[in-house]
Amino acid sequence: MTIKQLSIFVENEAGKLVEALETLADAKIDMRALSLADTENYGILRIIADKPEQALTVLSDAGFVVKVTDVIPVAVGDKPGGFAAVLRILADAGIDVEYTYAFVAHSHDSAYVILRVSDNDAAVNVLTKGDVTILTPEKIYEM
C-alpha cells in the first residue's frame, strides 16, 4: 500500500516557501507530513497532503514544479529500536531506503514514518510479512 507524496521545488529566496504553503492553505489543503531538504539554489519540500490530486493541481497552477512519488507510510513501535526493526526487515530483503522522514499524529503507542525505497511492492510484501503496520491512504489523509 502506497500513498502519494508531492515534491515541490522551491527557490532558496525569502518568501518562496511560504508562498507554496499559502497556496495549499488557500485551497483548504491540509498537510499530514513534511520534509524540507535544501541545496544552494533550491529546496525540495516533500509533503503528504490530505488531498494530493488537488494539491498537485493548485501548486502547478501557481507555477511550482511538482513531482508525485509513491511512498510507504508505516506505523512503528514508539520505543527504542522500533524504527530499526522496520529497517532491518528491508535490509534483510535487499531493499534500499532512499530517504525517510517521521511525522507526529495523535497516538500513544505508535510513531509514523514515510519510507521511499527502491522497490515499493517488494517492501510492502516483506513489511507485511514482518507484521509492520502499513497505513492506508484513507488513514493518512484523515489523520
Side-chain angles (χ1 to χ4, degrees):
M1 178 76 48
T2 61
I3 61 171
K4 302 297 182 194
Q5 169 193 267
L6 301 174
S7 296
I8 303 114
F9 296 87
V10 181
E11 294 175 54
N12 275 351
E13 293 181 16
K16 292 297 184 181
L17 177 60
V18 73
E19 286 177 21
L21 299 180
E22 288 173 342
T23 298
L24 294 170
D26 291 346
K28 306 285 190 261
I29 297 169
D30 200 5
M31 292 184 297
R32 297 296 182 241
L34 70 86
S35 170
L36 180 63
D38 71 313
T39 66
E40 187 173 325
N41 297 317
Y42 65 91
I44 301 173
L45 174 64
R46 293 183 172 111
I47 66 164
I48 304 299
D50 64 341
K51 297 175 247 178
E53 295 84 11
Q54 184 181 351
L56 173 62
T57 299
V58 299
L59 287 165
S60 296
D61 288 351
F64 290 95
V65 175
V66 184
K67 179 182 174 191
V68 178
T69 306
D70 289 326
V71 293
I72 303 170
V74 298
V76 301
D78 192 8
K79 60 184 179 184
F83 187 41
V86 171
L87 294 179
R88 172 52 55 206
I89 292 168
L90 295 171
D92 288 349
I95 298 169
D96 294 330
V97 176
E98 296 176 15
Y99 58 81
T100 181
Y101 54 96
F103 62 99
V104 178
H106 305 287
S107 176
H108 296 287
D109 57 354
S110 295
Y112 301 98
V113 178
I114 301 295
L115 296 170
R116 172 71 174 142
V117 297
S118 58
D119 185 334
N120 282 332
D121 293 334
V124 167
N125 185 37
V126 298
L127 290 170
T128 301
K129 287 180 182 175
D131 291 326
V132 175
T133 300
I134 299 174
L135 287 77
T136 64
E138 295 78 20
K139 175 80 173 172
I140 291 289
Y141 303 148
E142 292 173 2
M143 285 185 163

